[in-house]
Amino acid sequence: MTEYGLIGFPLVHSFSKKYFTEKFERENISAVYKNFEMESVEGLMRLIAEHTDLRGFNITIPHKQAVIPLLSKMSDGVREIGACNCIKVSRSAGGEVSLSGHNTDIIGFMDSIRPLLQPHHTKALVLGTGGASKAVVCGLRRLGIIPTLVSRHKGTDTLTYSDLDEQTLAEHTVIVNCTPLGTFPKVDTCPDIPYDYIGERHLLYDLVYNPEQTLFMQRGEAQGATVKNGLEMLHRQAEAGWTIWNSDND
């Protein structure tokens, strides 16, 4: 049976395994999705050799950078942000293995936020500077939106939360939360931004999806902003991975 899977450590909870297992059952696809818990990627090629029916897998922390030297090919997104979360496994007639690396977080984010964008959404504040923010920044640029990072620490091209005044929020009408603030069970927390300066022209997008409506979203919606959580982004990136694994191209 065709196999797909998730590589990471630890794998206490896996959105991907649940999503694809349900997809395979719903669509009568003869395949299985497995969790492959690995502390390092040193044994990855051996695992692929042993699982001859493995056609593709997702990569989660802490291996999104470590797998890059193992890739035969990589997408522009992987090259741009230095992180890979989706690999297609190709095998030649002689059994030679080729790995093609992609970043479906970029695709998932773009596909999810695109329907909500308006002509005045030309600049964005990206809250947080972790791995997720790199995919968001890349996606925003591809959508023609100028991103500005916001962090607790000042940087060359990074604002601090105390820099966010009325004028800054008036100019940046898209705000994307890439921090874990507000995630269950700490649902009473949210990014420290001046919500009073948010209005109807703003779009607040939260990568957090549990709870369904975070405090960040609640406070934005109370000011008239359009809000959205990150659940559809997860679904979209999962489907993007499925398309990559089953494409004739690498």
Side-chain angles (χ1 to χ4, degrees):
M1 183 179 290
T2 305
E3 291 183 346
Y4 303 93
L6 176 67
I7 309 294
F9 186 88
L11 296 177
V12 178
H13 170 72
S14 168
F15 163 84
S16 297
K17 180 174 173 60
K18 182 176 185 294
Y19 182 88
F20 281 107
T21 298
E22 292 176 353
K23 176 184 175 68
F24 295 159
E25 291 176 355
R26 184 176 62 252
E27 300 179 18
N28 294 316
I29 297 171
S30 180
V32 62
Y33 192 99
K34 299 180 178 179
N35 281 349
F36 299 104
E37 195 169 67
M38 304 178 67
E39 290 192 53
S40 77
V41 297
E42 290 181 7
L44 182 56
M45 299 308 295
R46 184 173 66 253
L47 182 147
I48 294 170
E50 292 172 351
H51 290 258
T52 56
D53 292 323
L54 186 62
R55 295 292 178 265
F57 51 90
N58 297 114
I59 303 291
T60 187
I61 54 176
H63 305 322
K64 290 186 179 183
Q65 290 80 37
V67 297
I68 291 178
L70 303 177
L71 301 176
S72 308
K73 300 177 182 179
M74 69 180 77
S75 68
D76 290 341
V78 172
R79 193 174 289 106
E80 183 174 342
I81 69 176
C84 170
N85 76 331
C86 178
I87 290 179
K88 178 181 180 179
V89 181
S90 301
R91 302 174 195 267
S92 68
E96 185 178 344
V97 172
S98 173
L99 303 183
S100 174
H102 304 264
N103 192 298
T104 57
D105 284 338
I106 300 171
I107 302 168
F109 172 71
M110 289 176 63
D111 287 350
S112 177
I113 198 172
R114 187 185 282 110
L116 301 176
L117 296 175
Q118 301 294 328
H120 65 269
H121 291 143
T122 58
K123 293 184 179 181
L125 296 175
V126 179
L127 312 181
T129 55
S133 69
K134 293 178 181 178
V136 166
V137 165
C138 181
L140 288 169
R141 284 176 175 153
R142 291 185 182 184
L143 290 166
I145 298 171
I146 301 170
T148 298
L149 290 169
V150 181
S151 173
R152 289 172 296 174
H153 308 290
K154 188 77 172 179
T156 306
D157 299 310
T158 305
L159 299 177
T160 63
Y161 288 92
S162 59
D163 292 328
L164 304 182
D165 55 19
E166 186 171 4
Q167 181 179 344
T168 303
L169 264 71
E171 294 176 1
H172 298 80
T173 51
V174 177
I175 306 176
V176 185
N177 177 34
C178 298
T179 78
L181 290 171
T183 305
F184 180 84
K186 298 182 180 180
V187 298
D188 57 346
T189 60
C190 64
D192 186 18
I193 64 174
Y195 292 91
D196 288 346
Y197 299 145
I198 290 172
E200 295 178 356
R201 290 168 58 84
H202 282 89
L203 167 59
L204 271 59
Y205 189 104
D206 201 334
L207 264 60
V208 175
Y209 61 92
N210 182 19
E212 186 176 330
Q213 189 172 59
T214 61
L215 185 57
F216 169 73
M217 294 168 62
Q218 290 174 34
R219 296 190 66 178
E221 194 170 54
Q223 295 292 118
T226 300
V227 300
K228 186 168 187 175
N229 68 25
L231 185 58
E232 188 190 21
M233 175 180 167
L234 276 181
H235 291 172
R236 295 272 190 164
Q237 65 93 358
E239 288 300 325
W242 178 248
T243 299
I244 289 167
W245 296 332
N246 292 278
S247 169
D248 292 333
N249 301 317
D250 290 335

